[in-house]
Amino acid sequence: MRKYFVLFVSVSILLLLGACSNASSASGDGHNMILAHNHPTDHPVHKSLEKFKEEVEKRSDGEMTMTLYANGQLGDEREVIELTQTGAVDVTKVSAGALESFRPEYSIFGLPYLFEDTDEFKEKMSDPEITDVIYNSSEDIGFVGLTYFDAGSRSLYTRDRVVEDTEDMSGLKVRVQPSATSVAMIDALGGTPTPMAYGEVYTSLQSGIIDAAENNLTSLVSSKHGEVADHWMYTEHAIVPDMLIMNKHRLTEAQRQIIRESADAANAFHEVVWNDATEAAAEEAQNEMGVEFHEVDKSSFIESVQPLHDEMKADETMGPIYELFKGGDSDEES
């Protein structure tokens, strides 16, 4: 009840701020924007969002300002997406997995082994003919995509079990994002998917409610999961980006152009801070937290998820999206 009371108060304040913001914008005095996300302030994504704020304010000569709410202050990812739909929040950063329940097009990123490596991922995400289809798919429900932030390859980490192939996944309770694609992925890999909010992972690993989780390397350090997970396996089964989305109604076209240019600048900045953070996280997890890192033979993992590729290719909605990403290689093993 306390959570919902705090959320109610937050939304009420945001609506008041939004009304004031609209009034000042209409009078030509500017536009204060609200940006919410769920990462701590020392996370590389937060630093990239600070760069986004800086670029917006600089490119608009101070006409547009931005207030950042980090650490899930305004709610979890689903809640801030809904606030962005209504316009109570102008911009938010959420995982592509969280957007899947709003628009099916985003489920493409939850498909395991969609990309051969991060180079192919970045190549596809730099192609407007692909990304515009994804970003604009949600326009009819109140928000559009601006850009993506690299969130690294997702791999498996466990409390105490070394996983070498899919046979070792049997009976393994793995936390997944609350998305149908993530559930199907772990099921196909032979594990037991356990949908759970990210904030519950540490205590669930610690207590044994779950045996494992899957995420990027920074999660071991930024959320201290390395304190309760002994093994990291380089399964690199998915690349699920973070997405920067914006309410579609609130700005003029000139302001939107500033936002788009600022988002591109933040994306370029993020490439540098993300790579640095990933290297630092791997070093800290191994040397200070004692996490053991393991290379794995991915062949059994890739083979086990091939039916998910076939199912998506055959889907009326997702088939064309799959072809955008796979192109002429869609019939090859992914």
Side-chain angles (χ1 to χ4, degrees):
M1 290 298 295
R2 182 179 180 276
K3 173 186 175 184
Y4 291 110
F5 174 75
V6 172
L7 183 60
F8 172 77
V9 173
S10 299
V11 172
S12 299
I13 293 171
L14 287 173
L15 290 173
L16 178 60
L17 287 172
C20 295
S21 172
N22 279 343
S24 65
S25 181
S27 66
D29 295 331
H31 189 102
N32 180 61
M33 305 183 70
I34 295 167
L35 190 160
H37 68 94
N38 68 344
H39 285 306
T41 54
D42 59 352
H43 195 279
V45 167
H46 180 79
K47 295 176 183 178
S48 300
L49 293 173
E50 287 183 318
K51 175 66 173 176
F52 176 62
K53 164 185 163 69
E54 175 189 319
E55 291 290 328
V56 167
E57 294 177 350
K58 180 179 70 176
R59 292 169 188 265
S60 67
D61 294 325
E63 177 188 332
M64 301 167 69
T65 58
M66 187 170 289
T67 303
L68 269 60
Y69 292 86
N71 279 311
Q73 293 176 71
L74 302 184
D76 61 25
E77 290 197 319
R78 182 174 185 86
E79 288 164 341
V80 293
I81 294 169
E82 291 171 346
L83 290 174
T84 305
Q85 286 181 290
T86 65
V89 166
D90 294 278
V91 183
T92 187
K93 189 291 306 171
V94 294
S95 170
L99 292 167
E100 181 180 329
S101 61
F102 290 83
R103 291 300 310 182
E105 288 82 355
Y106 282 96
S107 66
I108 188 69
F109 298 109
L111 186 66
Y113 298 107
L114 174 67
F115 305 103
E116 184 174 332
D117 51 32
T118 55
D119 288 339
E120 182 189 0
F121 164 73
K122 291 175 182 178
E123 176 188 343
K124 297 296 172 65
M125 294 302 291
S126 299
D127 185 348
E129 292 188 6
I130 295 175
T131 56
D132 284 355
V133 174
I134 304 293
Y135 295 160
N136 295 330
S137 66
S138 56
E139 187 173 9
D140 62 333
I141 57 172
F143 65 86
V144 294
L146 292 172
T147 191
Y148 78 97
F149 290 139
D150 185 3
S153 298
R154 298 177 77 93
S155 286
L156 186 74
Y157 51 100
T158 66
R159 292 180 69 212
D160 52 17
R161 186 190 302 188
V162 176
V163 175
E164 296 182 346
D165 53 34
T166 52
E167 290 186 7
D168 296 325
M169 293 288 292
S170 179
L172 195 73
K173 293 176 291 184
V174 184
R175 178 267 173 178
V176 294
Q177 294 175 299
S179 82
T181 309
S182 296
V183 169
M185 172 187 67
I186 294 300
D187 191 49
L189 290 173
T192 302
T194 307
M196 180 182 294
Y198 183 71
E200 300 174 23
V201 174
Y202 183 99
T203 54
S204 296
L205 279 169
Q206 186 179 45
S207 64
I209 292 175
I210 56 174
D211 305 307
E214 53 85 39
N215 213 316
N216 57 51
L217 259 172
T218 63
S219 63
L220 285 178
V221 173
S222 64
S223 297
K224 303 187 185 301
H225 293 176
E227 294 178 350
V228 289
D230 290 343
H231 300 282
W232 169 276
M233 274 63 61
Y234 278 107
T235 53
E236 297 177 318
H237 50 263
I239 302 177
V240 182
D242 282 334
M243 291 291 179
L244 193 63
I245 64 171
M246 178 180 70
N247 175 272
K248 64 166 286 191
H249 302 295
R250 296 283 293 278
L251 303 177
T252 66
E253 183 52 40
Q255 290 171 327
R256 289 178 185 279
Q257 184 60 29
I258 289 171
I259 291 292
R260 286 190 287 264
E261 292 172 354
S262 300
D264 289 342
N267 178 286
F269 175 85
H270 181 74
E271 285 294 309
V272 177
V273 296
W274 180 258
N275 289 337
D276 291 345
T278 299
E279 292 177 7
E283 182 176 344
E284 182 173 346
Q286 292 179 86
N287 298 335
E288 297 182 26
M289 293 178 166
V291 179
E292 295 183 21
F293 282 59
H294 307 271
E295 296 289 342
V296 299
D297 181 356
K298 299 176 187 175
S299 58
S300 67
F301 294 93
I302 293 172
E303 182 180 357
S304 69
V305 301
Q306 196 58 42
L308 299 182
H309 285 249
D310 297 336
E311 182 179 340
M312 186 166 285
K313 280 191 289 185
D315 184 82
E316 183 177 354
T317 299
M318 292 307 301
I321 303 297
Y322 183 91
E323 290 297 329
L324 277 176
F325 281 90
K326 299 306 292 182
D329 297 331
S330 61
D331 291 328
E332 297 179 6
E333 185 173 80
S334 303

